[in-house]
Amino acid sequence: MQSRPKISDAEWQVMKVLWQKSPVTANEIVEKLTAETAWKPKTVRTLISRLTAKDAIGFDKTGRQYMYYPVLTEEECVRQETRSFMTRIRTGALKPMLAAFLEEENLSQEEIDELKCILDKKGEK
Amino acid sequence: MQSRPKISDAEWQVMKVLWQKSPVTANEIVEKLTAETAWKPKTVRTLISRLTAKDAIGFDKTGRQYMYYPVLTEEECVRQETRSFMTRIRTGALKPMLAAFLEEENLSQEEIDELKCILDKKGEK
DNA sequence: TAACAAGTATTACAGATGTAATCCAAAAGT
DNA sequence: ACTTTTGGATTACATCTGTAATACTTGTTA
């Protein structure tokens, strides 16, 4: 069971590692994250455990070590986050919110063009 | 003290009420929110208390009732949320994320046009 | 002025989260 | 085979959140 388990901030870090490359051992995850963050190895282990408990990631036991892989895709999770972000932010008018959002981001010219392209497609449909 | 207190999901609902209109009495907030949500009046009171504790909102005591008003502006809060949303989501490439983001939203034609307008302005500058 | 009503403040309590440490079992080395 | 190591499972614990209920104060009313 797990329609849409909530992934916490810290857990997201682990998901991101697995989305980049999988399957990997717990140790590989630990190495990456202890390098990027200030977490102790045990902390990362805890996050991994919680994610498996939530069925957000899975593993195959190949001998002593487990090989972890993501169960939830990055797509779904981004979608999920987007939804909760939007409901949180939105007061009614979408525009001021998105304006602030876009202001906040330092978009490159290419990114801007790509976004316009996406919007065009949505527009004509 | 409060550089950037974290506003929880439930607390955001209260902030949104105050951003729409302020100052208001606790009762007005309670009425709005018990109508929109399934919360009991006491629950809303708790949220109000926590927000004052965080200095996210303030009040003037006029007699026995307090008049509440937001201390943090909607702008700052949206910016804040945007930032944490982006750092959470972002793996490196902005595009796939924003694509999913825009896909997810059901934008009206007008909204699409407005966004393109915002993008244009960013683009030319 | 005493009792009441209406707001505010305090307390409650379970589950999520951040951040680990300790315990246990099996693999690996001696 | 016994001990050491190592990785996974269990336990820890404070804070934050969701969701309220109870207690306390002080205007208001009889």
Side-chain angles (χ1 to χ4, degrees), chain A residues 107-120:
Chain A
L107 302 171
S108 70
Q109 184 60 53
E110 292 102 295
E111 286 172 326
I112 288 175
D113 291 337
E114 299 204 75
L115 287 180
K116 284 206 282 189
C117 197
I118 291 169
L119 286 172
D120 278 334

Side-chain angles (χ1 to χ4, degrees), chain A residues 26-27 42 45 50 65-66 68:
Chain A
N27 262 339
K42 297 294 188 181
R45 295 303 185 128
R50 289 183 181 168
Q65 289 191 163
Y66 296 176
Y68 294 89

Side-chain angles (χ1 to χ4, degrees), chain B residues 14-30:
Chain B
V14 175
M15 294 305 290
K16 289 204 263 189
V17 171
L18 290 180
W19 285 325
Q20 284 191 328
K21 172 166 176 275
S22 84
V24 289
T25 65
N27 262 339
E28 289 180 80
I29 300 174
V30 166

Side-chain angles (χ1 to χ4, degrees), chain B residues 86-125:
Chain B
M86 292 302 281
T87 50
R88 182 182 254 238
I89 286 313
R90 172 177 269 174
T91 15
L94 179 64
K95 197 193 68 176
M97 182 256 118
L98 275 180
F101 175 93
L102 291 174
E103 283 297 321
E104 185 63 22
E105 277 302 304
N106 283 328
L107 302 171
S108 70
Q109 185 59 54
E110 293 102 294
E111 287 173 325
I112 288 175
D113 291 337
E114 298 203 78
L115 286 181
K116 285 206 281 191
C117 197
I118 292 168
L119 286 172
D120 279 332
K121 288 211 190 74
K122 289 213 63 142
E124 62 200 32
K125 193 193 58 187

Side-chain angles (χ1 to χ4, degrees), chain A residues 80-93:
Chain A
Q80 178 68 27
E81 283 303 312
T82 300
R83 227 176 265 124
S84 72
F85 171 73
M86 292 303 281
T87 50
R88 182 181 254 239
I89 286 311
R90 173 178 267 173
T91 15

